[in-house]
Amino acid sequence: MRRPALWTVLYFALGIGLHEYIGKFQLAIVLCAVALVGLCGVGLWLRWHTRNLSVLFAGLLVLLGALRGAQSLKRDADHFVQFLPDRAFVEAEGWVASDPERINGDYRMVFDVRQLVVNDTVRVVSGKALIRFKAGTVVPVYGDWMQLQVQLYQPSHPRNPGAFDYRAFLKRRGLDALGTVRKRSQILAHREGADDWWARVVLPVRDVIRRAIDQNFSGGPAGLLKGVLLGAKKAVPEEVKTAFVQTGVNHVLAVSGLHVGLIAGAVFFALKMLGIGRGITAALTICALVFYALITGLPPSVVRASTMGCVALLGIVGPRDIDGGNILGIAGLGVLIARPQDLFDVGFQLSFVATGGILVLYRPLRDLMPIKMGWCDTWIAGPLAVSLAAQVTTLPFVVSYFGLVSVVGLLANLIVVPMVGVGLGLLTVLAFVLWQPMATILNAANWLVLSGAIGVAEWMAQPNWAAFDVARPPWFIFGIYLSLLPLIHPQTRRVCSAYCLILALVLANVGVWKNILYSESALEVYFLDVGQGDAVFCRYPNGRTLLVDGGIRTQYADMGARVVLPFLKSQGIGHVDVVVGSHPDADHIGGLISVLEQVSVGHYLDAGQHVESFTGKRLLEIVKAKGIAYHAVAAGDSLIGLGGLVLHPTPAYVSHSGPAPEGANNGSVVIRIVYRGTAMLLTGDIEHETDGDLMRWGHRLRADILKAAHHGSRTSSTRAFLEGVDPEVVAISCGVNNKFRHPSPEVVTRYREMGIQIWRTDQSGAIAAKIDRGQIDVAPRIKNN
C-alpha cells in the first residue's frame, strides 16, 4: 500500500468506534488478536500473498482499536464516583489539575480527587471532577492543594432525542462528576501545591499571553485573540460566536492547523535566515510546535497539526520526503493511541476530515480554476482551492452536528481567516516581554484588524439567506458522499469509477425506496422532557407534524432552543405543519419563540386569549412577521388532516380584551386526536372547574392516552374526569424535584387505584408512544446505560 500509516489509523479508528459493541468481550478479543498475530507470522513464513496478509493485519488493527477504546473508559477500583451519596455534600481533598478557566466571572477547573470523606468514613480514591468556583470565593491556581465541602454529582444522561450527551462528553475527557463552590465556607483548607515543570514553564507563558492581551483592550477582539492563541473559546462573546457560525468561519475561534502551520513556518524560516543548519532548524521548530501544543492545552486539532508538522520536519532532514497521507495517518495514530476517545470529538473529526480533503482535492480543484499564474494564482486561486476542499469534505459533518449551512462561507473564509492570524498576536506577546510601549502599539493594530474581522463577519451574517438551518442528513447521504470522493482523484478514478457509481446509485435507491416500501404506519407521539412545562410532538405516517407547546423560556434556560429544536433536527424535521400554544403561560409557550424563529411553520393555533406578557406578545409578532397562518380555535373546531377535535375552551373561558374569566389554565386548548381507533387527549393546564363542560362530550371525551392536566396537580384529574376519559396510559410532564411538587401524590394514587399505567418525564425523560391499529407502545425514548 502507498499509504500504510493512513490505512492503519483508519482500521484502528474503526475498532475504537466499535468498542461499545464488542469491547465487553475483551477476553475473546485478546484471544482472537493472538490468533491473528500467529496467522500473520505463519503467512510471512509461508510467503502468503500480500492481499491475504493485509486482511489479517486489518482485522488485528480493528481488534486492537476495540481493546484500546474499551480500556480508555475503564475506571479504577477506587474511583470516587462509586462512593458518592445521592444529593449530599462530601469532603473532597485533592489538587487543582488544570489552569482555571474564567467563565462569566466564575472560575472552572479540573480537580484531581485523592481523598473523600462520606459520613465520617475516609477513603483514598482516584478520579477527576470539574469544579466551578463562584465569583467572590477564591481563584484557585494549578497545583493548589484544597479540601472542599462540595456536592459532587454525575451529569444526567440525555433526556430527549437529539440532546447533547454532556455526561459522555465529560467522561471521554476523564471527568466523571461536577461540583460548585458557592461560598468561602465550603473551602476547608487551601495551600499552594508543588512547583512542577508545568507550573514553572507552561503556565507562566499562558499568563504572559493573557496579560499582553488584557493590558490594552477587551471585549470581542480580546476574546478572539485569546481563542486563536490559547484555545480559550469561552473568552469569545456569544454575539461574535454567532456571527462566525453563520458565516462558516467559526473554526478560527479555536487554535487550528492553520495557526500551527503559521507558527511552524515563522520559526523555521526565521532560523533559516539566521543561517542555522537544516537539522538544528528542524529540531528547534519541532520543540516550538510541542511547546505551543502544551500552551494551548493539547486540543485534538492542535495535536494533529503539531504531530503532522513534526513528522514532516523529520522528513526534511531524512533521506526522503514523507507522503502527506502517511503524515496524516501517523498523526492520527499517535492521537488515538494516547487518547482514543478523541475519535468522538467533533474537533478531531472535522480537523482530520478537512486535512484529508485538502490533501485529496486541493490539486484537482486548483487545476479546474482558470487562474494559472501570477499573484492571482498565489493569493486567490490557492486559498480558494484550500477553502473549497475543506468545506466540501466537512459539509456532511457540519450539517450532521450543527444542522447549519452557510451560503457565504466560502467568501467569508477568504476574507476573515487571513485577518484573524496569529503573527501579529505573537509579535505583541514578544513585545510585551521586551518593551511594553511597543506592545501597546501592536495591540492597537490587533484591535483594528480583529475588530474589522468581527465587523465583516457580522455584516456578512446579516442577510436572512447568509445561512440556513437544515435537517440532519440520514446515513445514506454520508455513504453517497464518501463513495463519490474517489472519482475526483485521477489515480483512483480509473479503478473506482464504476464501483463508486454503482454504490452511489444503490445507496440513493435505498434512501428513496425505503420510505415507500418500508414506510412507518404508526402515529409517533413524543412527550418531551422540558422540565416543569409541556411539549408534545406528533408525527403522522404521511409526514404531517403537530407540536403542542414548547416548554419554558427564561434568561437562564430556553427549552425551545435546548430541547425542541435539537429534537426536530435529530428527527430530520425542518417544517412543522401545525403549532399549538395551549395557553399563554411561559412554561408552555416560552420555548415556541425559538421554534417559530428558526423552523418553518404552517399554522399557529391558540385560544385567542388576550395576552399582556412579553412572551405572548413576542410570539404573536413572530407569527405575523413570518406570515404563519394564525387561527383562534374553540370547542368544536377540527384539525383537518390530523384527526384532531378541539374540546375546549368554550367562549365562557376566553376574553379577547382582558384576563381569562376563569384563569389562564382553564382557558387551555384541549385536543382529542384519534388515529386508527386509538384516541389521545391533550389537556394543557385545565383544572377541575372545566370538568362539567368537558363531560358533556360524553363518549367523545374517552381516550386511551391522557396527557395529565396541569402536570398532575391536585387541582386537576378528579376521579369523575378520569372516569369520563377512561385512559389506559397517562403521561405526566413535570420537572425533576420541581418546587411545586408535581405530580401530586394524591393524583398519582388515584391513577394507580384506577389501573392506569403511569409515565413521568421527571423519572423517564422523554416518553415515546406509537399508535397503530389499536395497539399502543409506550416507552422512555432514551435508554440509559
Side-chain angles (χ1 to χ4, degrees):
M1 293 185 293
R2 278 195 59 206
R3 299 180 174 90
L6 183 59
W7 286 104
T8 297
V9 73
L10 289 176
Y11 287 122
F12 190 76
L14 176 61
I16 295 174
L18 294 174
H19 83 271
E20 183 178 348
Y21 306 100
I22 64 177
K24 60 186 71 174
F25 309 107
Q26 292 193 27
L27 179 59
I29 292 176
V30 171
L31 294 176
C32 290
V34 171
L36 286 176
V37 171
L39 284 174
C40 288
V42 171
L44 289 172
W45 183 52
L46 297 177
R47 297 185 179 180
W48 287 354
H49 194 279
T50 305
R51 185 181 298 109
N52 297 330
L53 289 174
S54 298
V55 172
L56 293 175
F57 187 62
L60 178 62
L61 288 171
V62 171
L63 294 178
L64 292 176
L67 283 174
R68 184 70 184 97
Q71 185 271 335
S72 65
L73 292 177
K74 188 177 180 180
R75 290 176 177 154
D76 295 333
D78 61 349
H79 199 284
F80 73 88
V81 167
Q82 60 184 315
F83 306 115
L84 291 179
D86 184 28
R87 289 184 294 170
F89 281 80
V90 299
E91 290 183 14
E93 188 173 334
W95 60 284
V96 179
S98 71
D99 189 19
E101 181 181 20
R102 186 168 185 173
I103 303 175
N104 298 327
D106 300 339
Y107 286 88
R108 187 176 68 177
M109 53 77 185
V110 175
F111 191 67
D112 192 343
V113 184
R114 297 300 180 86
Q115 183 173 289
L116 203 67
V117 181
V118 182
N119 298 327
D120 297 327
T121 301
V122 180
R123 301 180 186 274
V124 178
V125 296
S126 64
K128 296 178 180 179
L130 192 64
I131 305 293
R132 186 164 187 152
F133 287 80
K134 301 295 287 185
T137 54
V138 72
V139 180
V141 178
Y142 170 82
D144 285 1
W145 190 268
M146 306 186 76
Q147 185 179 6
L148 307 174
Q149 188 176 55
V150 63
Q151 180 182 352
L152 295 176
Y153 64 96
Q154 291 183 281
S156 62
H157 291 283
R159 302 179 62 84
N160 292 279
F164 177 64
D165 193 343
Y166 189 50
R167 184 171 185 165
F169 172 82
L170 291 178
K171 189 172 183 180
R172 289 196 294 267
R173 284 155 178 74
L175 303 170
D176 290 281
L178 300 173
T180 302
V181 175
R182 301 183 182 278
K183 48 190 178 181
R184 285 181 176 271
S185 59
Q186 291 181 243
I187 305 172
L188 306 180
H190 181 195
R191 67 177 185 271
E192 293 184 0
D195 188 21
D196 59 10
W197 69 272
W198 183 274
R200 290 196 305 269
V201 179
V202 176
L203 294 185
V205 175
R206 289 179 61 90
D207 184 59
V208 167
I209 294 174
R210 278 195 291 259
R211 287 191 291 117
I213 297 171
D214 291 337
Q215 72 160 343
N216 298 119
F217 66 111
S218 60
L224 189 54
L225 190 56
K226 289 178 184 177
V228 299
L229 289 180
L230 298 173
K233 290 188 288 186
K234 294 291 185 181
V236 183
E238 287 300 323
E239 59 271 17
V240 176
K241 290 181 182 178
T242 301
F244 276 50
V245 168
Q246 294 287 327
T247 52
V249 294
N250 55 311
H251 56 87
V252 303
L253 296 178
V255 184
S256 67
L258 174 63
H259 305 140
V260 175
L262 290 173
I263 289 174
V267 173
F268 185 86
F269 288 110
L271 293 173
K272 288 292 289 183
M273 290 177 64
L274 294 175
I276 299 176
R278 192 175 186 182
I280 297 177
T281 296
L284 292 176
T285 305
I286 289 173
C287 293
L289 288 179
V290 172
F291 186 65
Y292 185 64
L294 292 173
I295 290 174
T296 59
L298 300 174
S301 59
V302 176
V303 174
R304 186 270 308 160
S306 300
T307 306
M308 289 186 67
C310 292
V311 174
L313 288 167
L314 291 174
I316 290 176
V317 299
R320 55 180 295 181
D321 292 336
I322 302 177
D323 178 80
N326 273 330
I327 295 177
L328 182 62
I330 293 171
L333 192 61
V335 171
L336 294 182
I337 290 175
R339 304 189 310 200
Q341 294 305 314
D342 277 0
L343 177 66
F344 306 100
D345 185 269
V346 178
F348 175 91
Q349 295 174 12
L350 292 177
S351 175
F352 272 82
V353 170
T355 305
I358 292 170
L359 290 173
V360 173
L361 301 180
Y362 170 73
R363 181 52 58 188
L365 289 174
R366 188 155 184 176
D367 291 342
L368 292 174
M369 293 183 182
I371 307 172
K372 300 296 183 184
M373 58 187 302
W375 67 271
C376 290
D377 182 43
T378 303
W379 297 102
I380 297 179
L384 185 61
V386 170
S387 178
L388 187 59
Q391 291 194 53
V392 165
T393 49
T394 58
L395 181 61
F397 293 87
V398 171
V399 173
S400 180
Y401 284 118
F402 307 112
L404 186 75
V405 174
S406 175
V407 177
V408 298
L410 188 61
L411 181 60
N413 272 271
L414 293 177
I415 300 174
V416 175
V417 172
M419 299 176 70
V420 190
V422 298
L424 191 57
L426 290 176
L427 285 177
T428 302
V429 175
L430 184 61
F432 180 78
V433 175
L434 299 177
W435 190 42
Q436 291 193 12
M438 178 58 68
T440 300
I441 297 173
L442 292 174
N443 260 339
N446 269 317
W447 181 88
L448 184 64
V449 174
L450 295 175
S451 296
I454 294 172
V456 170
E458 291 177 341
W459 177 74
M460 297 185 74
Q462 282 182 355
N464 294 329
W465 49 263
F468 57 91
D469 293 318
V470 295
R472 295 179 182 177
W475 64 270
F476 73 88
I477 292 182
F478 280 89
I480 294 173
Y481 207 91
L482 295 176
S483 67
L484 292 177
L485 284 179
L487 299 180
I488 299 174
H489 201 283
Q491 292 183 345
T492 59
R493 188 182 299 130
R494 293 189 298 270
V495 179
C496 301
S497 57
Y499 164 75
C500 290
L501 183 59
I502 292 173
L503 180 60
L505 291 173
V506 169
L507 291 173
N509 275 275
V510 168
V512 172
W513 287 100
K514 77 179 183 68
N515 292 328
I516 299 175
L517 299 177
Y518 304 101
S519 60
E520 179 67 64
S521 62
L523 167 62
E524 300 177 31
V525 182
Y526 296 87
F527 299 91
L528 300 177
D529 179 14
V530 290
Q532 188 63 19
D534 272 12
V536 183
F537 180 81
C538 302
R539 177 164 56 186
Y540 293 77
N542 60 6
R544 291 193 176 185
T545 51
L546 166 70
L547 175 64
V548 180
D549 293 333
I552 196 168
R553 173 177 176 147
T554 67
Q555 67 178 106
Y556 305 106
D558 181 354
M559 289 302 172
R562 181 185 295 181
V563 175
V564 182
L565 287 175
F567 165 78
L568 293 176
K569 287 186 178 181
S570 71
Q571 300 296 308
I573 297 169
H575 174 81
V576 180
D577 292 293
V578 179
V579 173
V580 180
S582 65
H583 64 295
D585 280 358
D587 61 330
H588 288 252
I589 65 170
L592 293 181
I593 292 178
S594 294
V595 175
L596 266 62
E597 284 177 338
Q598 301 186 42
V599 175
S600 169
V601 174
H603 302 266
Y604 180 76
L605 284 60
D606 64 17
Q609 174 63 42
H610 175 74
V611 294
E612 287 290 345
S613 66
F614 168 81
T615 301
K617 290 181 177 179
R618 174 60 182 153
L619 200 60
L620 295 178
E621 287 175 1
I622 298 171
V623 170
K624 184 177 180 180
K626 296 189 67 173
I628 300 171
Y630 171 75
H631 309 272
V633 296
D637 290 341
S638 297
L639 305 185
I640 299 174
L642 301 177
L645 175 64
V646 178
L647 305 186
H648 192 76
T650 61
Y653 292 88
V654 177
S655 171
H656 301 293
S657 58
E662 298 293 334
N665 286 346
N666 285 325
S668 296
V669 176
V670 177
I671 302 173
R672 182 176 184 258
I673 296 173
V674 180
Y675 179 76
R676 294 194 172 186
T678 299
M680 175 176 64
L681 190 65
L682 306 178
T683 56
D685 273 359
I686 57 169
E687 300 180 355
H688 63 83
E689 290 87 353
T690 65
D691 287 0
D693 292 89
L694 288 168
M695 296 290 284
R696 293 192 182 97
W697 286 97
H699 69 277
R700 285 186 289 181
L701 182 63
R702 294 190 178 276
D704 303 279
I705 301 175
L706 170 67
K707 199 287 297 181
H710 201 193
H711 321 289
S713 165
R714 64 182 180 85
T715 61
S716 307
S717 302
T718 63
R719 182 173 293 274
F721 176 76
L722 293 177
E723 288 175 349
V725 178
D726 192 23
E728 296 180 16
V729 178
V730 63
I732 307 174
S733 182
C734 57
V736 178
N737 302 319
N738 64 85
K739 64 180 180 180
F740 306 103
R741 299 185 180 181
H742 291 158
S744 165
E746 175 187 343
V747 171
V748 172
T749 300
R750 188 176 301 145
Y751 290 145
R752 289 173 178 161
E753 290 175 350
M754 299 182 68
I756 303 171
Q757 184 181 358
I758 303 172
W759 289 92
R760 296 169 50 170
T761 59
D762 62 332
Q763 295 179 348
S764 304
I767 302 165
K770 285 191 174 184
I771 303 172
D772 190 12
R773 297 182 178 88
Q775 298 294 319
I776 304 174
D777 181 20
V778 184
R781 183 60 183 84
I782 300 293
K783 295 182 179 179
N784 298 331
N785 296 325

